[in-house]
């Protein structure tokens, strides 16, 4: 599975962005997907995960109510809708695909990673 993120950029606090993660390969529709983020000098942080069908999602407390993960298996694409962005959301955002079908929350449970997309939130 190859993953390519897009949609990052610079936004003012309170604004919105939607990240996309386009996947190649025939296993996308049977893989749980996740979004993580990382700032320099810190470990990669879990943001959200979605199961293979899109019927179940889980979001980190820090983004709950502001971010929403979703997927479109017909388009082999996962999304992260980010609303009410805050300066502390500034990070490189990575999408990841797991070999599991159900929600996963740790870095080690994901086998495939995208290259990352920068999100910068100005105060």
């Amino acid at each position: 599975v190859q993953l390519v993120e897009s949609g990052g950029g610079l936004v003012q606090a309170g604004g919105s962005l939607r990240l996309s993660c386009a996947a190649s390969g025939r296993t996308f529709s049977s893989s749980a997907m996740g979004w993580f983020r990382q700032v320099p000098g810190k470990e990669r942080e879990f943001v959200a995960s979605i199961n293979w069908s899109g019927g179940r999602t889980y979001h980190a407390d820090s983004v709950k109510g502001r971010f929403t993960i979703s997927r479109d298996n017909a388009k082999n694409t996962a999304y992260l809708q980010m609303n009410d962005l805050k300066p502390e959301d500034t990070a490189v955002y990575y999408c990841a695909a797991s070999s599991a079908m159900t929600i996963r929350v740790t870095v080690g449970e994901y086998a495939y990673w995208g290259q990352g997309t920068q999100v910068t939130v100005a105060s």
Side-chain angles (χ1 to χ4, degrees):
V1 177
Q2 291 185 320
L3 305 173
V4 179
E5 301 100 334
S6 61
L10 173 64
V11 64
Q12 294 292 317
S16 298
L17 285 174
R18 187 175 83 155
L19 305 183
S20 298
C21 174
S24 63
R26 289 183 283 181
T27 61
F28 176 83
S29 61
S30 62
S31 300
M33 297 295 294
W35 286 95
F36 290 76
R37 64 187 181 185
Q38 190 170 24
V39 298
K42 292 191 175 182
E43 293 187 352
R44 198 163 292 189
E45 174 191 23
F46 170 78
V47 174
S49 178
I50 188 166
N51 75 333
W52 67 278
S53 68
R56 292 188 181 273
T57 62
Y58 182 74
H59 298 79
D61 287 344
S62 58
V63 305
K64 199 169 294 183
R66 301 187 298 121
F67 291 11
T68 303
I69 189 172
S70 62
R71 67 189 297 159
D72 185 338
N73 285 347
K75 295 182 178 180
N76 273 17
T77 303
Y79 304 96
L80 185 68
Q81 177 67 44
M82 306 187 294
N83 298 328
D84 190 24
L85 282 159
K86 303 177 181 181
E88 53 263 41
D89 294 319
T90 295
V92 177
Y93 283 72
Y94 298 89
C95 74
S98 175
S99 56
M101 298 178 71
T102 54
I103 286 170
R104 294 290 183 263
V105 299
T106 65
V107 169
E109 295 176 297
Y110 288 87
Y112 305 99
W113 293 84
Q115 82 288 350
T117 185
Q118 177 71 46
V119 171
T120 302
V121 184
S123 58

